[in-house]
Amino acid sequence: MSQRVVVTGAAGKLGRAVITDLATHGWDVLAVDRVSVTGWSGDSLRADLTDYGQVLEIVSGAVDERGPRPEALVHLAAVPAPGLIPNSATFANNAPATWNVFNACRAAGVRKVVWASSETVLGLPFDTPPPYAPVDEEYHPRPESTYSLVKTLEEEMATQFCRWDPELSMTGLRFSNVMYPEDYAAFPAFDADPQLRKWNLWGYIDARDGAQAVRRSLEYRTPGREVFVIANADTVMSRSSASLMAEVFPDVEIRKELGEHETLLSIDKARRVLGYEPRHSWRDEVSPD
């Protein structure tokens, strides 16, 4: 029997890939968003996650004809980036929505939660250089925007929720900039100026690989809170990663020998713990020449 999973933010760029991937791999998906999830033929529900009552109904399996209670929840819903709306509005949406989701899952006995954290907690846009490269999960978050501050607070909330309830397994995924194959036509132009994409160390995540990371995180049931950087294995550039760092961040320590186009957003932990392995690259879609 397939397992029931709620996916919030299902109409978003990453959400669409996630619900498709999970359904393909046998999950029973309830797609939740404020807007209709176009192109999706499975179960869906429109809801406002800033309303705790609605969230509790969803995770309890109490919405008419939208049960049963899920085994797990994937929380992707949010104002997705800094500067889209005023800072106060970003905070007023994202922080309460995530608390509602976390608390409702604990109250309803949903023990597995995967949520979208963000690469921004690593210190993006790196106007202040990173402490070392490739950046990883080992240094304390350095939020530089209200959006990123909320993501940092979410990670701390998850730590405390898991302390309160040792049976919870909460996995935060620090996603890089989400891309679809149709976005890759713009990538060769980045080579003209390495400053254009230095803000996230020239990283990206193919939505299909982001979905793989979500699925593998759902399969990871170890209790407690964990966070992982999730990016593709390469950068958006045709130039070598070593040459990019030497030109743009010459004083930053490089902690490993870099592959030619190796990501500077380290995915070593995700590979080791989750078995995550990116399967897509913009180089497969567009010639860098």
Side-chain angles (χ1 to χ4, degrees):
M1 183 176 178
S2 60
Q3 296 185 81
R4 183 74 158 174
V5 60
V6 169
V7 179
T8 74
K13 194 170 188 179
L14 180 59
R16 299 193 304 274
V18 166
I19 59 177
T20 299
D21 181 87
L22 291 179
T24 299
H25 286 85
W27 286 84
D28 176 19
V29 178
L30 175 60
V32 176
D33 209 300
R34 278 183 173 171
V35 298
S36 297
V37 185
T38 58
W40 170 249
S41 59
D43 279 354
S44 64
L45 184 67
R46 294 176 64 177
D48 179 359
L49 301 185
T50 65
D51 181 336
Y52 181 69
Q54 294 185 40
V55 179
L56 186 59
E57 282 188 48
I58 292 167
V59 300
S60 300
V63 179
D64 292 346
E65 302 182 15
R66 291 294 181 269
R69 190 195 73 179
E71 297 294 321
L73 182 139
V74 176
H75 178 46
L76 307 177
V79 176
L84 299 178
I85 58 177
N87 297 344
S88 56
T90 297
F91 191 95
N93 182 85
N94 290 6
T98 298
W99 185 89
N100 287 347
V101 166
F102 287 2
N103 197 65
C105 284
R106 181 186 177 215
V110 177
R111 296 292 181 235
K112 182 62 200 184
V113 177
V114 178
W115 88 97
S117 186
S118 169
E119 64 181 355
T120 62
V121 304
L122 296 166
L124 275 63
F126 290 126
D127 293 331
T128 299
Y132 54 81
V135 294
D136 58 22
E137 302 86 354
E138 296 304 312
Y139 65 92
H140 198 271
R142 306 192 318 179
E144 300 290 353
S145 67
T146 297
Y147 168 82
S148 184
L149 175 62
V150 174
K151 292 299 184 184
T152 302
L153 295 175
E154 290 173 358
E155 293 187 0
E156 179 59 26
M157 276 198 288
T159 298
Q160 301 308 323
F161 271 95
C162 289
R163 181 175 65 85
W164 294 343
D165 186 344
E167 294 184 4
L168 280 172
S169 175
M170 305 185 75
T171 306
L173 302 179
R174 294 175 173 179
F175 288 111
S176 190
N177 192 192
V178 179
M179 298 289 180
Y180 270 75
E182 54 264 35
D183 297 319
Y184 295 145
F187 278 32
F190 296 148
D191 275 335
D193 183 0
Q195 299 289 332
L196 290 174
R197 297 279 307 191
K198 76 165 192 175
W199 58 271
N200 77 337
L201 298 184
W202 308 280
Y204 75 107
I205 178 68
D206 187 289
R208 296 164 293 182
D209 285 318
Q212 178 208 152
V214 168
R215 173 166 40 83
R216 292 187 180 277
S217 296
L218 286 171
E219 295 164 355
Y220 176 77
R221 295 299 181 107
T222 302
R225 171 272 212 185
E226 284 284 1
V227 295
F228 300 92
V229 175
I230 302 296
N232 269 73
D234 58 347
T235 70
V236 302
M237 306 290 278
S238 61
R239 291 179 49 184
S240 74
S241 298
S243 71
L244 289 166
M245 289 300 298
E247 178 178 340
V248 180
F249 296 108
D251 298 323
V252 170
E253 175 190 1
I254 307 300
R255 290 195 167 180
K256 63 183 289 188
E257 184 176 350
L258 296 171
E260 185 177 8
H261 301 120
E262 182 174 349
T263 178
L264 295 157
L265 305 172
S266 175
I267 56 175
D268 290 349
K269 181 181 177 183
R271 281 171 157 155
R272 183 177 70 252
V273 178
L274 299 178
Y276 167 70
E277 189 60 51
R279 301 184 184 281
H280 303 280
S281 171
W282 71 275
R283 297 166 216 278
D284 300 329
E285 307 286 342
V286 179
S287 171
D289 297 328

